[in-house]
Amino acid sequence: MTRTDTRVGPVEARPTLGRARPFWTSRRRDQLTGYLFVAPQLLGSAVFVILPLILVVWYSLHEWNVLAGTFDFVGTDNYKAVAEDPNLGAVLRATGLFSIGLVVLNLGLALLLAVLLNQKLRGTIVFRTLFFSPVVVSLVAWTIVWGFLLQDNGGVNGLLDRIGVDGPNWLRGEGTAMLSVIVVQVFKNVGLNMVLFLAALQGVPAELYEAAEVDGASRMRQFWRITVPLISPTILLTSIITVVGSLQVFAQIAVLTQGGPGTSTTVLVYYLYQQAFQFHHFGYGATLSILLFVIVLALTVLQWQMRKRWVFHES
């Protein structure tokens, strides 16, 4: 009887049939889908952000006279002109004053309104709508209306006259023009920060306030020790948004004061507009825009780095 050997030896590899691996694998299809989803954003950023930045740097190295049709390379002459500009100090002073006033009043008023509207009172929905409605109003329309109200014979002085107060010419006075522009801008955008603060306040656990009351902490102490630390991420967000927005203000200045009286309300963006589009110094205007970009970038990075010192949960 023949004995059959049942031991299993090493399996010999079968020869490949020469079939190529399919190109459209599941992984590549997923990658393509992801790229297609982000392509509009990447294309928009390249066309409307990166390319304009490159062109601005290129224009800043030239003197472009549209009327004469010349486009001459001047190197760093525009940058030297910025450093030697006698009006730049006053422009930066006005820009800083506007930004500080706007940030302090906007954030302070927005936080105050948010705390009041966070109370369990009747009619809070109506007041939220009332304070937020200016945010969705057209900026130019809002500014034009306030321009009429702040005229010498406008509505504001009409109300003051009823109580026996002789109001100033708000938009033409050295001391009142900047204040008027700041107040108009605060009333326009305070509702946005108010809604952000209100959402943050509603996320603070009520148990913390109850425990603080048991320990005998006053309302003010609760606010500084519980509320402010827990909403500090929102404070950081609103401060960055408000600072960047304050450095880019243009329509309010153009409609209300045109940079006057003198240069008291000539902020950097409006001065850039004057140089580029009124005086046709496009190369110099491009250089000023680079200065504005550097200022905005520096302040944003500074605020972001300082978050580790005062923002809750940041290390």
Side-chain angles (χ1 to χ4, degrees), residues 27-79:
R27 179 179 180 182
R28 286 180 175 173
R29 284 197 298 269
D30 292 341
Q31 290 177 345
L32 178 62
T33 302
Y35 288 139
L36 290 177
F37 273 111
V38 301
Q41 177 67 27
L42 294 176
L43 181 62
S45 298
V47 174
F48 298 107
V49 178
I50 299 176
L51 180 60
L53 285 175
I54 296 174
L55 291 177
V56 164
V57 175
W58 175 250
Y59 292 150
S60 69
L61 301 175
H62 295 75
E63 183 55 44
W64 184 10
N65 192 324
V66 178
L67 300 179
T70 59
F71 189 72
D72 301 323
F73 180 80
V74 295
T76 60
D77 289 353
N78 287 323
Y79 293 90

Side-chain angles (χ1 to χ4, degrees), residues 270-293:
Y270 190 75
Y271 187 61
L272 185 160
Y273 161 78
Q274 286 181 322
Q275 295 295 325
F277 298 101
Q278 290 186 353
F279 306 145
H280 302 289
H281 299 157
F282 288 100
Y284 190 69
T287 309
L288 290 174
S289 67
I290 293 177
L291 174 62
L292 175 64
F293 173 78

Side-chain angles (χ1 to χ4, degrees), residues 59-187:
Y59 292 150
S60 69
L61 301 175
H62 295 75
E63 183 55 44
W64 184 10
N65 192 324
V66 178
L67 300 179
T70 59
F71 189 72
D72 301 323
F73 180 80
V74 295
T76 60
D77 289 353
N78 287 323
Y79 293 90
K80 295 177 182 178
V82 168
E84 299 172 355
D85 192 341
N87 297 321
L88 188 61
V91 170
L92 294 178
R93 192 180 310 112
T95 304
L97 180 61
F98 178 84
S99 298
I100 293 173
L102 180 64
V103 170
V104 172
L105 290 179
N106 193 317
L107 296 184
L109 182 59
L111 183 56
L112 175 62
L113 292 174
V115 171
L116 294 177
L117 294 177
N118 194 41
Q119 308 302 315
K120 305 300 181 181
L121 302 175
R122 297 180 60 183
T124 54
I125 297 179
V126 177
F127 283 102
R128 292 180 195 176
T129 305
L130 180 64
F131 287 119
F132 187 77
S133 57
V135 177
V136 298
V137 175
S138 170
L139 176 60
V140 176
W142 173 268
T143 308
I144 291 175
V145 170
W146 273 100
F148 285 113
L149 292 175
L150 293 172
Q151 288 180 356
D152 192 19
N153 56 349
V156 174
N157 283 345
L159 292 176
L160 293 176
D161 186 61
R162 287 181 176 272
I163 60 176
V165 177
D166 186 16
N169 191 345
W170 296 96
L171 299 177
R172 296 295 177 264
E174 288 282 350
T176 59
M178 178 61 77
L179 177 62
S180 301
V181 176
I182 292 174
V183 170
V184 170
Q185 181 67 4
V186 167
F187 286 163

Side-chain angles (χ1 to χ4, degrees), residues 218-249:
S218 62
R219 287 292 183 90
M220 186 60 66
R221 191 171 183 83
Q222 292 178 31
F223 177 77
W224 288 109
R225 295 295 184 178
I226 299 176
T227 305
V228 172
L230 290 181
I231 68 171
S232 56
T234 305
I235 296 177
L236 173 66
L237 171 65
T238 54
S239 65
I240 292 177
I241 294 175
T242 308
V243 168
V244 173
S246 68
L247 293 171
Q248 297 176 347
V249 64

